[in-house]
């Protein structure tokens, strides 16, 4: 019998990052009974508490208009946490949690709230505004009136920051009267996702990628953020926003920045954000002269989602007329030396076939094939970074199919699933971002000039759509948007990555 070849495994040095506790803090959530607070923010804080990162003398206070007391609020939160939490840990965490009933536009109760918060300017105080943006200035005004904006106080602003450049500037000016830029954290939870963070490690920690990360080697980039859900209870808000404002102007453009920015001099907050700003300012304008060629907007009609019949957007809105887009596709370009000529195809929508957020970097084809036609086609290499539902990274390569019978080519992935590689579920994006606020680290938060630059690019698109008089193109729920979105990329000889590869 032939002697078996020895199996060698390379030695792997595993470094386990132990969670580092933060300083004692107070975190106040305005809008504390809302969906975001109960579904995301408070569970994120609970998970960081169970990992030992939040000291027991910290305080977490929910603020809303509902007439609850501390115990009533804890009961509501308990129902959320016990589903996947340890009973004792849940009760220990709830000891940190309190509640106050306040109206941002009325003075009642603010004296008591200020007394509760105390006058210790050396204590970290985070005010998270999980409310409608039209309440931001009222809340900040009262926080300033009671000197709660002093010392180590910070304010977190949820998107949207305005609905255009003018309103964004007004919000930033109003908040800036009470909190300076170093105290202001504009949150985009996509920047807290593990895969987005890994873009920095992939690009700047590996000699394999950075030399190829340019127009000479990359053919095009795709970013897809797809949802199976409709607007549901958010119809009122969504009809005044639409897909471009809700997703592209913030989430997707931030992903573009992380993909396309130049290497920062360090990971210092402003070093990273300076490079992101350069990307936003380098985006080629899209306006009335070219919006019809470079953008597609759609609105879903009745159809099927996740095996069930679903109504159309106008049915959910309970209105027969609306020009609000629930889908948008954009062909964007970055006018600089690194990316000149490389299209960035961006799309997002509601009621699409699957829930997925994915970045696909497609490399250029080899210049000449040495293989016979019988070997099969040569497929372009792709780097696919999936943000949700399961975070992973795949690098698609061409190899020989094993076995006798001639040389046959196969396109296969080098696949890294975070859950499989590290043996544990990954922290939610809000877990990282909330503790970054406590630490005073703004690296993953938008600076004011980033918000302004994003709106300067998005505003002319919105204006062009409004002035065209055209309605969004209809698409059936459960499909990948209007057929024009397919034409947008296929007329360039490319296709959307929809096969899970």
């Amino acid at each position: 019998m032939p002697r078996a070849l020895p199996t060698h495994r390379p030695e792997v040095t595993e470094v386990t990052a132990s969670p580092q506790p933060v300083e004692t803090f107070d975190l106040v959530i305005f809008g504390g009974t809302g969906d975001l607070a109960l579904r995301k923010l408070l569970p994120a804080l609970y998970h960081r508490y169970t990992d030992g990162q939040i000291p027991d003398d910290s305080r977490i206070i929910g603020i809303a208009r509902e007439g609850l007391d501390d115990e009533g609020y804890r009961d509501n939160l308990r129902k959320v946490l016990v589903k996947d939490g340890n009973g004792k840990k849940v009760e220990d965490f709830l000891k940190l949690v309190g509640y106050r009933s306040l109206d941002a536009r009325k003075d009642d109760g603010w004296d008591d709230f200020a007394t509760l918060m105390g006058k210790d300017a050396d204590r970290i105080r985070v005010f998270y505004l999980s409310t409608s943006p039209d309440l931001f200035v009222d809340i900040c005004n009262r926080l300033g009136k009671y000197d709660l904006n002093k010392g180590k106080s910070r304010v977190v602003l949820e998107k949207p920051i305005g609905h255009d450049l003018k309103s964004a500037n007004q919000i930033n000016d109003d908040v800036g009267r009470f909190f300076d830029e170093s105290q202001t954290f504009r949150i985009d939870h996509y920047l807290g996702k593990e895969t987005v963070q890994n873009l920095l490690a992939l690009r700047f920690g590996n000699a394999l990628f950075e030399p190829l990360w340019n127009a000479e080697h990359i053919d095009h980039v795709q970013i897809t953020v797809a949802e199976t859900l409709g607007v549901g209870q958010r119809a009122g808000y969504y009809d005044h926003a639409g897909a471009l404002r809700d997703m592209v102007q913030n989430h997707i453009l931030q992903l573009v920045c992380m993909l396309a920015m130049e290497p920062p001099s360090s990971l210092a907050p402003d070093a990273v954000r300076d490079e992101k700003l350069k990307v936003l300012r380098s985006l080629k304008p899209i306006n009335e002269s070219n919006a019809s060629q470079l953008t597609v907007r759609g609105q879903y009609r009745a159809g099927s989602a996740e095996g069930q019949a679903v109504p159309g957007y106008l049915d959910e809105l309970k209105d027969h007329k609306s020009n609000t887009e629930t889908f948008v596709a954009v062909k964007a370009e970055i006018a600089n030396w690194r990316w000149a000529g490389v299209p960035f195809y961006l799309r997002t929508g509601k009621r699409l076939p699957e829930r997925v957020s994915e970045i696909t970097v497609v490399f250029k084809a080899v210049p000449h094939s040495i293989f016979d036609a019988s070997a099969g086609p040569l497929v372009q290499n792709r780097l696919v970074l999936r943000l949700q539902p399961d975070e992973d990274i795949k690098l698609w390569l061409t190899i020989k199919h094993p076995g006798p019978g001639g040389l046959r080519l196969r396109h296969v992935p080098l696949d890294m699933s975070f859950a499989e590689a590290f043996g544990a579920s990954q922290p939610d994006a809000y877990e990282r971002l909330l503790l970054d606020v406590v630490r005073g680290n703004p690296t993953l938060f938008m600076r004011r000039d980033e918000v302004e630059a994003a709106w300067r690019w998005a505003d002319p698109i919105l204006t062009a759509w409004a002035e065209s008089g055209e309605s969004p193109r209809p698409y059936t729920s459960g499909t990948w948007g209007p057929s024009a979105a397919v034409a947008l990329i296929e007329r360039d000889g490319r296709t959307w990555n929809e096969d899970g590869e």
Side-chain angles (χ1 to χ4, degrees), residues 309-383:
V310 294
Y313 175 72
L314 297 179
D315 300 319
E316 292 183 317
L317 189 63
K318 297 180 171 56
D319 198 346
H320 296 294
K321 293 182 179 179
S322 174
N323 274 343
T324 298
E325 77 283 356
T326 62
F327 174 96
V328 62
V330 179
K331 178 183 176 181
E333 289 191 57
I334 299 169
N336 62 23
W337 278 30
R338 181 183 288 265
W339 296 109
V342 177
F344 283 67
Y345 298 99
L346 320 175
R347 64 173 174 171
T348 183
K350 303 278 189 184
R351 291 292 189 214
L352 300 183
E354 60 179 304
R355 174 179 172 265
V356 62
S357 295
E358 192 171 80
I359 299 166
T360 303
V361 180
V362 181
F363 292 88
K364 289 185 175 179
V366 296
H368 170 70
S369 175
I370 64 172
F371 304 100
D372 293 335
S374 60
L378 272 176
V379 182
Q380 289 167 266
N381 299 131
R382 284 178 292 172
L383 179 65

Side-chain angles (χ1 to χ4, degrees), residues 152-170:
K152 294 183 178 180
S153 293
R154 290 142 199 173
V155 65
V156 182
L157 306 182
E158 262 289 344
K159 79 172 185 76
I161 308 295
H163 60 273
D164 56 16
L165 177 59
K166 181 180 178 181
S167 58
N169 282 339
Q170 187 63 59

Side-chain angles (χ1 to χ4, degrees), residues 354-419:
E354 60 179 304
R355 174 179 172 265
V356 62
S357 295
E358 192 171 80
I359 299 166
T360 303
V361 180
V362 181
F363 292 88
K364 289 185 175 179
V366 296
H368 170 70
S369 175
I370 64 172
F371 304 100
D372 293 335
S374 60
L378 272 176
V379 182
Q380 289 167 266
N381 299 131
R382 284 178 292 172
L383 179 65
V384 182
L385 302 100
R386 179 163 288 199
L387 284 68
Q388 64 181 23
D390 300 310
E391 297 189 74
D392 66 15
I393 298 173
K394 291 180 181 177
L395 177 61
W396 287 84
L397 303 172
T398 296
I399 66 164
K400 175 190 174 294
H401 192 290
L407 194 152
R408 292 171 295 154
L409 301 176
R410 283 193 61 186
H411 197 52
V412 298
L414 298 177
D415 189 356
M416 193 199 83
S417 161
F418 289 104

